[in-house]
Amino acid sequence: MMERKKIIVAIDGFSSCGKSTLAKSLARALGYIYIDSGAMYRAVTLYALRNQWIRNGQLDTKAILDGLSLISVSFSFDPATERNTTYMNGENIEEEIRQLHVSEYVSQVSAIKEVRLAMVRLQQEMGKDKGVVMDGRDIGTVVFPGAELKIFMTADPEIRALRRFRELTLKGISVSMEEIRENIRARDFMDQNREESPLRKAEDAIILDNSFLTPEEQLLWALEKANETSM
Ligand code: DC
């Protein structure tokens, strides 16, 4: 059988679009490593919240930047639960970084230029041997502009809100649809309008609108693209 070359798959798009669901299943099917770049920004936000560098909605940017070198983020795949887990300085923070108090501030933290520079450097290091699927906002434009396959995901905002509502409710997190709609609206705005690496489609990215596609249909579509690209 012909050996396929390893590639980098960059998946960007709006929040709650199902990027991580697709990225995880695609990485698994290809035997690649999955890297959740949003989890890295969430980890920095959590660290800042715990240290009270975010108080009354105000960010102490200097303290956050001084603290960056104290934060080490890593990922592992637990075959028993089939779940990807994010660790910060050895602590499993997977659940906590998905909660609303982190979501509320992560856009502001990820808009800080120096935070982005540090995260991008780590992400580039993680992908240097290729064979990775990375999802985020700037993967195809800034982190890996040379990625062999770039996918830009989008979906109807109301469908995204419903998905996020189900996800959080299933985890026992109590939240209203209105809170979620507002959080999605605010994050879309911040992600697209921030000065540093705003969310935008790379010119050579393929658009995937998954409003009415099942996860299986999306995986098949992406696998076909990946196989074509890695020939
Ligand atoms: O994908 P997510 O919702 O977990 O991302 C959390 C936040 O981090 C989101 O508001 C945008 C930001 N982010 C970013 O700026 N760049 C990335 N590559 C990934 C996420």
Side-chain angles (χ1 to χ4, degrees):
M1 213 175 71
M2 198 178 63
E3 181 83 7
R4 287 184 185 278
K5 68 174 194 292
K6 276 192 187 174
I7 62 167
I8 290 182
V9 183
I11 303 185
D12 289 303
F14 294 96
S15 61
S16 306
C17 243
K19 293 188 299 295
S20 68
T21 305
L22 176 63
K24 276 178 210 164
S25 60
L26 183 62
R28 218 168 148 218
L30 294 169
Y32 281 15
I33 295 166
Y34 163 61
I35 298 163
D36 176 353
S37 70
M40 298 167 74
Y41 293 99
R42 286 174 182 272
V44 175
T45 307
L46 177 64
Y47 199 85
L49 281 165
R50 285 185 180 174
N51 285 286
Q52 310 219 333
W53 299 333
I54 302 173
R55 266 203 296 184
N56 308 322
Q58 295 294 314
L59 272 66
D60 182 344
T61 306
K62 184 175 180 312
I64 294 174
L65 296 183
D66 288 346
L68 271 183
S69 62
L70 306 172
I71 311 170
S72 146
V73 183
S74 59
F75 299 99
S76 81
F77 179 73
D78 180 354
T81 56
E82 299 209 323
R83 290 195 61 181
N84 279 85
T85 308
T86 310
Y87 292 86
M88 181 172 68
N89 300 338
E91 177 191 349
N92 180 344
I93 53 161
E94 185 57 37
E95 295 293 318
E96 201 174 347
I97 55 171
R98 310 291 161 196
Q99 299 205 354
L100 221 53
H101 68 288
V102 174
S103 300
E104 221 172 285
Y105 293 108
V106 65
S107 288
Q108 286 179 64
V109 171
S110 64
I112 304 170
K113 184 179 177 182
E114 293 84 352
V115 170
R116 301 205 68 81
L117 284 175
M119 295 303 119
V120 167
R121 218 175 297 128
L122 287 173
Q123 290 151 8
Q124 288 171 336
E125 178 63 27
M126 290 172 174
K128 70 177 187 327
D129 296 328
K130 304 213 172 185
V132 298
V133 180
M134 193 177 292
D135 69 351
R137 305 294 189 286
D138 60 343
I139 311 304
T141 51
V142 175
V143 183
F144 297 117
E148 290 83 353
L149 175 60
K150 300 180 185 176
I151 299 173
F152 189 85
M153 287 179 74
T154 162
D156 182 90
E158 190 60 20
I159 292 177
R160 289 157 54 203
L162 253 175
R163 286 177 184 160
R164 181 57 65 122
F165 179 76
R166 285 203 199 107
E167 189 186 314
L168 292 176
T169 311
L170 268 177
K171 283 184 185 161
I173 298 170
S174 152
V175 62
S176 74
M177 267 298 279
E178 200 35 57
E179 272 177 286
I180 293 182
R181 278 193 197 104
E182 185 43 43
N183 182 257
I184 286 182
R185 248 194 311 268
R187 285 208 289 157
D188 280 1
F189 185 84
M190 291 267 307
D191 289 350
Q192 288 178 288
N193 293 286
R194 69 176 175 222
E195 223 160 274
E196 295 302 323
S197 319
L199 169 65
R200 61 183 173 79
K201 178 188 154 308
E203 257 174 39
D204 51 349
I206 318 169
I207 293 181
L208 171 62
D209 181 334
N210 71 1
S211 301
F212 303 105
L213 292 178
T214 64
E216 292 74 23
E217 287 167 334
Q218 296 169 57
L219 174 61
L220 282 178
W221 178 91
L223 257 180
E224 202 179 295
K225 301 284 176 212
N227 286 334
E228 281 167 15
T229 319
S230 59
M231 288 276 246

